[in-house]
Amino acid sequence: MNLRNRSLLDIPISYIVTCGVIAFILAFFGWMLAETELGWVERLQVSFYRALSVNTLSDMYGAAFFHEREIEGVAQWSLTIARFFGVATFTMLLVKAYQGLFSERFTKFLAGRLSGHMVVIGDTDFARATAEEASRFNRVVWASSEGVTRDQGNILRIVEAGTGNALVKATSATKARSVLIAMDDDTRTFTTTREMLHAEDIFGKPSEKENEHLEGPHFFAVVSDRWDAYPQEAADLINPPEGRAEDKRSGGLDSVGEFITEARTAARAALGNVPQFLLAGEVPQHVLIAGFGDFGEALLTEICESQRTDLYGLQRFTIIDRSRDAWTRFTSRVPDHAEVFESRFFELDLNVSDGTENKWRDLLAHISQRPLTAAYVTTGKANDSRLSASELRMRLLVACERLTAETSVETGEPGDPFEALAFPVFAYSRESVTEPIKRMPIISFGAWSEMVSAARVFDDEPDGHAFEIHATHHRLYAGKDQPVPKWRSLSEWQRYSSRSASAYTPALLHAAGYDLRAWYAEAQSSESAVTLNDLPRLATLQSLNEEPALMMKLARLEHARWCAERRLKGYRWGPRKDTARRHHPGLVDFDDLDEGAQRYNIEYIKSLFALLAGKDDKIVVDLRENAPRAITRPTDIALLKKLGMLSDTPSEPLSEHPSEDAHGDV
């Protein structure tokens, strides 16, 4: 469905006016020729009066009337054509009247009866793509200033200027699954989101009841990429900061506003489909980013916060850009970036070839010593990045062939020019296409469908798993007897940290020895990016609590993730917590934490894996085809086999492909 196309009922008023004017002119000309027996003044009066009636169903334009008056020749043809234009004008006016008087009210009535639907506000590409994708699964109420109000398949379009609270009332958004606001101006997006969240007459009085279920819709505010560098400021524009009671949202529902950007969702989509820890395998993660703008920074941040699995080696980044300015601004804003990742910057322009041979040789020498796991080209949008990716590949190949030839002359032994270039290249593009190019495939990322899915707008509870993680931390810190606070009562920093921890869960599973390849393959086959709530269940009977070394490793990784999250937002170590100065005493190595903090991280890991394993006492791994998948470790397979809990044992040994063979319910 292409929502850019106008419906047949969506008739511009200019068409009606043009059609009516043509009908009037033809009718006036025809009557002037037919009424020759009248004088000029009376002839003009009669012709003008009768021409006005051409846009109604007047009998004087009927065939019987023509026959009775014996109107022939040019006059008859002119009046006949005018009659058709007049009928068309009258019909279009009726359609417009129906749309204005009945269709809009009926559409709003239908929207008000919905529940579990999605509300989309705005005319941007992101809003349009969301409405299109969401309509594949559920009903959508889309408010825009284009088109007409109508019921279009699974989409109820409501066209009205100044959306906001009126739309929420009209569509019963309190019953919606989520609300996405993506307008053409950030200020309007922030204002509309905040007004909707603060509408007491819509959401009701404050609720005193505390529970662990997220009630109410989740609000997504899609803003420009520049806000990704100022997350706290953006969050405060939607959810009022703490300490200002007069600005607190008074609604009783557990709804919150979350800002998202195209760059961050594109990065999550790329890593959700092909994670770095699977590409790297046993070697250290080393990523090349060509073009360090909004997308480059979003990729680096997302990789550092959700992909690290090496406990002792930092992730590596090689940055290519034609100017050092963006990289300098980032490193100035993140003073402790060297504690999070290793980096090397090359000032190179992919569109300039003269005088850059030595720079490309230096780059090749650098990546030859430290092999790349992937390269991301984000120098432009759509085809620009794909062309730049091809240019990057050719420049590296040329430099590699020259270096290999020189080495062969010196040593007398031929080399493999492709050895250092066997890594995938990802290029930002709106088209989701994979084009293998020899041994260096170029993979597109950033398609609208992938971005919308990665943004979690389709999830029943977009913050469901993040809230469970927060509840786990709360019980460990405050005790089991203390009720978990409402999700909306938390600061956006706390919610962001829980979302970050949720996104890191697959990397923790990989570090724990679980094979996620088949699970990711299933997600790719369904054409949807892995989101924070699409986490696998663990088909295991072996308690991880019995492996203290593994628990300690995972606790260290989780602490490193938390430190990376804070440092990438500009935090540094300080003797006491100071949000204004961005200081935190916990930004130290795991070994430097006190015993209580170390034990806290270990208990969190245990609780997280218990959450993933589910609450069932009896776990059966079903090996039937198309059964729901539950991931396993080789040690779990051996234990299940020993206990006789595996059915229909395949001919291929399970220990070789644990995740591809083990299916089951938890």
Side-chain angles (χ1 to χ4, degrees):
M1 160 186 324
N2 186 356
L3 299 181
R4 292 183 182 273
N5 297 331
R6 286 183 177 272
S7 168
L8 292 177
L9 298 179
D10 187 6
I11 306 172
I13 193 65
S14 60
Y15 288 9
I16 302 176
V17 173
T18 302
C19 192
V21 170
I22 293 174
F24 175 83
I25 293 174
L26 290 173
F28 181 80
F29 177 73
W31 286 117
M32 286 291 290
L33 294 177
E35 301 293 349
T36 56
E37 70 277 4
L38 300 178
W40 276 104
V41 176
E42 188 175 3
R43 193 173 173 184
L44 287 171
Q45 293 176 350
V46 171
S47 298
F48 186 83
Y49 169 76
R50 290 179 176 175
L52 287 177
S53 64
V54 72
N55 292 317
T56 64
L57 301 182
S58 175
D59 291 339
M60 68 178 63
Y61 289 89
F65 181 80
F66 284 179
H67 180 73
E68 182 181 338
R69 291 289 305 273
E70 296 183 354
I71 300 176
E72 299 177 349
V74 178
Q76 181 181 5
W77 279 105
S78 180
L79 292 174
T80 301
I81 297 173
R83 176 191 180 192
F84 282 108
F85 275 96
V87 171
T89 303
F90 184 80
T91 303
M92 288 189 290
L93 285 172
L94 286 179
V95 172
K96 273 295 183 184
Y98 164 76
Q99 291 175 340
L101 297 177
F102 304 104
S103 176
E104 183 171 353
R105 295 180 182 178
F106 183 65
T107 302
K108 288 185 177 182
F109 173 79
L110 288 178
R113 309 277 76 78
L114 292 178
S115 62
H117 59 292
M118 182 173 185
V119 176
V120 179
I121 302 174
D123 300 313
T124 62
D125 290 336
F126 203 110
R128 182 174 287 105
T130 301
E132 290 178 351
E133 288 297 313
S135 65
R136 296 168 52 194
F137 312 103
N138 208 344
R139 291 286 267 175
V140 180
V141 177
W142 182 24
S144 67
S145 59
E146 298 179 354
V148 296
T149 299
R150 65 180 182 270
D151 188 352
Q152 180 182 359
N154 242 7
I155 298 179
L156 289 172
R157 290 198 62 169
I158 297 180
V159 180
E160 58 179 75
T163 55
N165 294 343
L167 173 76
V168 183
K169 294 177 182 177
T171 63
S172 295
T174 54
K175 301 177 184 177
R177 178 170 54 186
S178 58
V179 179
L180 183 134
I181 303 98
M183 297 184 172
D184 53 5
D185 180 72
D186 289 346
T187 302
R188 292 180 60 202
T189 299
F190 283 127
T191 301
T192 301
T193 307
R194 183 161 179 157
E195 287 179 353
M196 294 170 73
L197 279 167
H198 287 246
E200 183 175 325
D201 55 337
I202 297 173
F203 289 101
K205 299 293 182 180
S207 174
E208 300 297 333
K209 181 181 179 182
E210 300 286 356
N211 55 58
E212 298 181 14
H213 179 69
L214 298 183
E215 300 176 352
H218 190 95
F219 287 78
F220 295 94
V222 184
V223 295
S224 57
D225 293 321
R226 66 185 181 87
W227 285 103
D228 203 32
Y230 307 97
Q232 189 60 55
E233 291 80 355
D236 290 346
L237 289 174
I238 304 174
N239 306 285
E242 294 181 286
R244 296 176 58 184
E246 67 276 8
D247 286 340
K248 285 289 185 179
R249 186 172 69 78
S250 57
L253 294 178
D254 213 13
S255 299
V256 297
E258 176 187 356
F259 85 95
I260 59 177
T261 66
E262 289 187 18
R264 198 63 184 268
T265 52
R268 289 173 180 171
L271 297 173
N273 289 328
V274 187
Q276 274 298 305
F277 52 79
L278 288 187
L279 288 174
E282 301 299 326
V283 302
Q285 295 179 23
H286 184 188
V287 178
L288 183 144
I289 299 178
F292 196 76
D294 296 320
F295 287 91
E297 183 174 337
L299 275 165
L300 186 147
T301 302
E302 195 70 23
I303 290 172
C304 290
E305 291 187 6
S306 67
Q307 303 294 303
R308 181 178 178 182
T309 55
D310 187 353
L311 183 58
Y312 300 104
L314 294 179
Q315 294 161 305
R316 301 185 181 119
F317 290 91
T318 297
I319 311 298
I320 297 177
D321 206 323
R322 61 184 179 182
S323 173
R324 190 181 290 269
D325 295 343
W327 177 247
T328 301
R329 287 194 298 270
F330 172 78
T331 54
S332 299
R333 199 170 65 247
V334 185
D336 278 356
H337 64 276
E339 300 291 333
V340 181
F341 58 86
E342 297 178 6
S343 62
R344 176 85 179 270
F345 181 87
F346 289 86
E347 192 169 354
L348 283 169
D349 190 343
L350 295 178
N351 299 318
V352 177
S353 57
D354 296 339
T356 60
E357 291 82 2
N358 292 334
K359 291 184 178 181
W360 283 103
R361 288 185 58 179
D362 292 342
L363 173 62
L364 179 63
H366 172 67
I367 64 177
S368 298
Q369 295 174 358
R370 299 182 173 184
L372 292 175
T373 54
Y376 295 87
V377 180
T378 62
T379 54
K381 295 184 177 180
N383 293 331
D384 292 344
S385 285
R386 296 177 60 77
L387 292 175
S388 297
S390 298
E391 189 69 21
L392 171 66
R393 173 184 177 274
M394 293 306 300
R395 296 283 175 84
L396 288 174
L397 284 174
V398 170
C400 191
E401 289 174 351
R402 288 178 179 175
L403 184 62
T404 302
E406 294 174 1
T407 304
S408 300
V409 172
E410 295 176 359
T411 62
E413 298 180 0
D416 182 6
F418 296 100
E419 184 176 357
L421 304 181
F423 57 87
V425 179
F426 296 83
Y428 173 77
S429 174
R430 292 302 187 202
E431 299 178 1
S432 181
V433 181
T434 301
E435 295 183 1
I437 301 180
K438 294 184 178 180
R439 294 178 57 184
M440 196 174 179
I442 296 178
I443 305 169
S444 298
F445 74 96
W448 284 119
S449 57
E450 297 174 354
M451 290 172 58
V452 172
S453 178
R456 317 186 320 279
V457 298
F458 299 146
D459 295 356
D460 291 332
E461 289 186 356
D463 277 339
H465 189 253
F467 179 76
E468 290 178 338
I469 285 180
H470 167 73
T472 299
H473 279 294
H474 178 80
R475 294 190 188 98
L476 292 175
Y477 181 79
K480 297 181 180 180
D481 298 333
Q482 294 295 325
V484 180
K486 281 279 190 180
W487 186 243
R488 64 177 171 84
S489 66
L490 304 176
S491 67
E492 181 62 16
W493 271 116
Q494 292 173 295
R495 289 192 290 264
Y496 179 90
S497 186
S498 295
R499 293 173 190 137
S500 178
S502 178
Y504 188 52
T505 303
L508 282 178
L509 291 172
H510 179 79
Y514 289 91
D515 190 345
L516 303 179
R517 289 171 297 177
W519 179 66
Y520 274 103
E522 285 184 343
Q524 291 179 348
S525 64
S526 64
E527 298 182 354
S528 61
V530 175
T531 70
L532 307 187
N533 296 310
D534 297 332
L535 297 175
R537 291 296 184 185
L538 308 186
T540 175
L541 293 179
Q542 182 170 341
S543 174
L544 296 178
N545 299 346
E546 300 174 0
E547 303 180 49
L550 178 59
M551 288 292 98
M552 180 64 73
K553 172 187 175 182
L554 300 179
R556 289 174 179 271
L557 283 172
E558 167 57 23
H559 177 68
R561 193 264 335 151
W562 178 85
C563 289
E565 173 207 317
R566 284 294 189 269
R567 287 186 170 119
L568 288 173
K569 296 300 180 291
Y571 274 75
R572 307 185 74 176
W573 179 88
R576 64 182 65 86
K577 184 177 179 181
D578 189 336
T579 304
R581 300 175 63 186
R582 301 204 171 189
H583 287 175
H584 201 291
L587 292 174
V588 295
D589 291 338
F590 187 86
D591 292 333
D592 295 329
L593 293 173
D594 59 52
E595 184 179 352
Q598 292 183 4
R599 186 167 57 252
Y600 178 93
N601 280 280
I602 295 173
E603 292 300 321
Y604 163 71
I605 293 296
K606 293 180 179 179
S607 300
L608 176 63
F609 276 70
L611 182 66
L612 293 174
K615 299 179 180 179
D616 296 338
D617 295 331
K618 184 178 181 181
I619 304 175
V620 178
V621 179
D622 193 346
L623 299 177
R624 294 173 301 174
E625 188 176 0
N626 297 326
R629 184 177 300 281
I631 63 173
T632 59
R633 294 188 301 164
T635 53
D636 304 328
I637 287 291
L639 180 60
L640 291 169
K641 194 171 183 179
K642 181 178 179 180
L643 297 176
M645 298 193 67
L646 294 179
S647 59
D648 302 329
T649 304
S651 57
E652 189 175 24
L654 285 171
S655 58
E656 295 183 9
H657 304 283
S659 67
E660 296 178 358
D661 294 327
H663 299 254
D665 290 315
V666 176

PDB file of all heavy atoms in Angstrom, residues 243-258:
ATOM      1  N   GLY A 243      11.722  17.411  40.288  1.00  0.00           N
ATOM      2  CA  GLY A 243      11.838  18.607  41.107  1.00  0.00           C
ATOM      3  C   GLY A 243      10.887  19.712  40.717  1.00  0.00           C
ATOM      4  O   GLY A 243      10.842  20.748  41.370  1.00  0.00           O
ATOM      5  N   ARG A 244      10.121  19.524  39.630  1.00  0.00           N
ATOM      6  CA  ARG A 244       9.151  20.531  39.228  1.00  0.00           C
ATOM      7  C   ARG A 244       7.769  19.903  39.289  1.00  0.00           C
ATOM      8  O   ARG A 244       7.245  19.383  38.316  1.00  0.00           O
ATOM      9  CB  ARG A 244       9.448  21.034  37.823  1.00  0.00           C
ATOM     10  CG  ARG A 244      10.781  21.750  37.710  1.00  0.00           C
ATOM     11  CD  ARG A 244      11.075  22.155  36.271  1.00  0.00           C
ATOM     12  NE  ARG A 244      10.029  23.022  35.747  1.00  0.00           N
ATOM     13  CZ  ARG A 244      10.004  23.449  34.480  1.00  0.00           C
ATOM     14  NH1 ARG A 244      10.956  23.093  33.647  1.00  0.00           N
ATOM     15  NH2 ARG A 244       9.023  24.238  34.075  1.00  0.00           N
ATOM     16  N   ALA A 245       7.182  19.959  40.472  1.00  0.00           N
ATOM     17  CA  ALA A 245       5.918  19.274  40.705  1.00  0.00           C
ATOM     18  C   ALA A 245       4.802  19.821  39.822  1.00  0.00           C
ATOM     19  O   ALA A 245       3.893  19.086  39.421  1.00  0.00           O
ATOM     20  CB  ALA A 245       5.517  19.393  42.181  1.00  0.00           C
ATOM     21  N   GLU A 246       4.880  21.118  39.489  1.00  0.00           N
ATOM     22  CA  GLU A 246       3.800  21.690  38.689  1.00  0.00           C
ATOM     23  C   GLU A 246       3.804  21.162  37.257  1.00  0.00           C
ATOM     24  O   GLU A 246       2.809  21.270  36.542  1.00  0.00           O
ATOM     25  CB  GLU A 246       3.931  23.219  38.658  1.00  0.00           C
ATOM     26  CG  GLU A 246       5.158  23.739  37.907  1.00  0.00           C
ATOM     27  CD  GLU A 246       6.413  23.769  38.770  1.00  0.00           C
ATOM     28  OE1 GLU A 246       6.343  23.227  39.902  1.00  0.00           O
ATOM     29  OE2 GLU A 246       7.425  24.337  38.345  1.00  0.00           O
ATOM     30  N   ASP A 247       4.947  20.589  36.825  1.00  0.00           N
ATOM     31  CA  ASP A 247       5.033  20.065  35.473  1.00  0.00           C
ATOM     32  C   ASP A 247       4.845  18.555  35.415  1.00  0.00           C
ATOM     33  O   ASP A 247       4.889  17.976  34.336  1.00  0.00           O
ATOM     34  CB  ASP A 247       6.390  20.403  34.853  1.00  0.00           C
ATOM     35  CG  ASP A 247       6.480  21.863  34.472  1.00  0.00           C
ATOM     36  OD1 ASP A 247       5.413  22.479  34.332  1.00  0.00           O
ATOM     37  OD2 ASP A 247       7.601  22.378  34.339  1.00  0.00           O
ATOM     38  N   LYS A 248       4.663  17.931  36.560  1.00  0.00           N
ATOM     39  CA  LYS A 248       4.514  16.484  36.570  1.00  0.00           C
ATOM     40  C   LYS A 248       3.234  16.080  35.847  1.00  0.00           C
ATOM     41  O   LYS A 248       2.195  16.689  36.009  1.00  0.00           O
ATOM     42  CB  LYS A 248       4.455  15.957  38.015  1.00  0.00           C
ATOM     43  CG  LYS A 248       5.800  15.940  38.719  1.00  0.00           C
ATOM     44  CD  LYS A 248       6.702  14.856  38.152  1.00  0.00           C
ATOM     45  CE  LYS A 248       7.995  14.765  38.945  1.00  0.00           C
ATOM     46  NZ  LYS A 248       8.859  13.713  38.420  1.00  0.00           N
ATOM     47  N   ARG A 249       3.328  15.037  35.021  1.00  0.00           N
ATOM     48  CA  ARG A 249       2.127  14.575  34.346  1.00  0.00           C
ATOM     49  C   ARG A 249       1.184  13.971  35.365  1.00  0.00           C
ATOM     50  O   ARG A 249       1.564  13.164  36.191  1.00  0.00           O
ATOM     51  CB  ARG A 249       2.494  13.531  33.283  1.00  0.00           C
ATOM     52  CG  ARG A 249       1.303  13.130  32.443  1.00  0.00           C
ATOM     53  CD  ARG A 249       1.736  12.243  31.291  1.00  0.00           C
ATOM     54  NE  ARG A 249       2.177  10.946  31.759  1.00  0.00           N
ATOM     55  CZ  ARG A 249       1.341   9.982  32.129  1.00  0.00           C
ATOM     56  NH1 ARG A 249       0.049  10.190  32.130  1.00  0.00           N
ATOM     57  NH2 ARG A 249       1.808   8.817  32.522  1.00  0.00           N
ATOM     58  N   SER A 250      -0.071  14.370  35.299  1.00  0.00           N
ATOM     59  CA  SER A 250      -1.032  13.969  36.323  1.00  0.00           C
ATOM     60  C   SER A 250      -1.855  12.767  35.913  1.00  0.00           C
ATOM     61  O   SER A 250      -2.728  12.344  36.641  1.00  0.00           O
ATOM     62  CB  SER A 250      -1.975  15.148  36.621  1.00  0.00           C
ATOM     63  OG  SER A 250      -2.624  15.573  35.435  1.00  0.00           O
ATOM     64  N   GLY A 251      -1.638  12.244  34.709  1.00  0.00           N
ATOM     65  CA  GLY A 251      -2.445  11.118  34.264  1.00  0.00           C
ATOM     66  C   GLY A 251      -2.213   9.871  35.095  1.00  0.00           C
ATOM     67  O   GLY A 251      -1.160   9.667  35.682  1.00  0.00           O
ATOM     68  N   GLY A 252      -3.215   9.003  35.125  1.00  0.00           N
ATOM     69  CA  GLY A 252      -3.118   7.802  35.926  1.00  0.00           C
ATOM     70  C   GLY A 252      -2.472   6.639  35.204  1.00  0.00           C
ATOM     71  O   GLY A 252      -2.099   5.656  35.822  1.00  0.00           O
ATOM     72  N   LEU A 253      -2.335   6.720  33.884  1.00  0.00           N
ATOM     73  CA  LEU A 253      -1.746   5.625  33.137  1.00  0.00           C
ATOM     74  C   LEU A 253      -0.227   5.649  33.244  1.00  0.00           C
ATOM     75  O   LEU A 253       0.370   6.665  33.574  1.00  0.00           O
ATOM     76  CB  LEU A 253      -2.175   5.688  31.672  1.00  0.00           C
ATOM     77  CG  LEU A 253      -3.669   5.461  31.417  1.00  0.00           C
ATOM     78  CD1 LEU A 253      -3.969   5.607  29.944  1.00  0.00           C
ATOM     79  CD2 LEU A 253      -4.093   4.083  31.900  1.00  0.00           C
ATOM     80  N   ASP A 254       0.379   4.508  32.927  1.00  0.00           N
ATOM     81  CA  ASP A 254       1.824   4.343  33.060  1.00  0.00           C
ATOM     82  C   ASP A 254       2.533   4.697  31.757  1.00  0.00           C
ATOM     83  O   ASP A 254       3.528   4.094  31.396  1.00  0.00           O
ATOM     84  CB  ASP A 254       2.130   2.893  33.429  1.00  0.00           C
ATOM     85  CG  ASP A 254       3.354   2.788  34.329  1.00  0.00           C
ATOM     86  OD1 ASP A 254       3.784   3.825  34.848  1.00  0.00           O
ATOM     87  OD2 ASP A 254       3.855   1.680  34.494  1.00  0.00           O
ATOM     88  N   SER A 255       2.014   5.665  31.029  1.00  0.00           N
ATOM     89  CA  SER A 255       2.571   6.045  29.736  1.00  0.00           C
ATOM     90  C   SER A 255       3.772   6.971  29.908  1.00  0.00           C
ATOM     91  O   SER A 255       3.799   7.805  30.813  1.00  0.00           O
ATOM     92  CB  SER A 255       1.510   6.745  28.881  1.00  0.00           C
ATOM     93  OG  SER A 255       0.425   5.878  28.630  1.00  0.00           O
ATOM     94  N   VAL A 256       4.739   6.809  29.020  1.00  0.00           N
ATOM     95  CA  VAL A 256       5.913   7.675  29.017  1.00  0.00           C
ATOM     96  C   VAL A 256       6.200   8.084  27.577  1.00  0.00           C
ATOM     97  O   VAL A 256       5.770   7.429  26.623  1.00  0.00           O
ATOM     98  CB  VAL A 256       7.159   6.979  29.611  1.00  0.00           C
ATOM     99  CG1 VAL A 256       6.933   6.642  31.060  1.00  0.00           C
ATOM    100  CG2 VAL A 256       7.532   5.743  28.811  1.00  0.00           C
ATOM    101  N   GLY A 257       6.944   9.177  27.442  1.00  0.00           N
ATOM    102  CA  GLY A 257       7.376   9.625  26.133  1.00  0.00           C
ATOM    103  C   GLY A 257       8.841   9.308  25.925  1.00  0.00           C
ATOM    104  O   GLY A 257       9.681   9.591  26.771  1.00  0.00           O
ATOM    105  N   GLU A 258       9.171   8.716  24.792  1.00  0.00           N
ATOM    106  CA  GLU A 258      10.555   8.365  24.461  1.00  0.00           C
ATOM    107  C   GLU A 258      10.915   9.007  23.128  1.00  0.00           C
ATOM    108  O   GLU A 258      10.181   8.858  22.150  1.00  0.00           O
ATOM    109  CB  GLU A 258      10.711   6.848  24.371  1.00  0.00           C
ATOM    110  CG  GLU A 258      12.096   6.397  23.927  1.00  0.00           C
ATOM    111  CD  GLU A 258      12.174   4.900  23.675  1.00  0.00           C
ATOM    112  OE1 GLU A 258      11.171   4.205  23.925  1.00  0.00           O
ATOM    113  OE2 GLU A 258      13.234   4.431  23.212  1.00  0.00           O
TER     114      GLU A 258
END
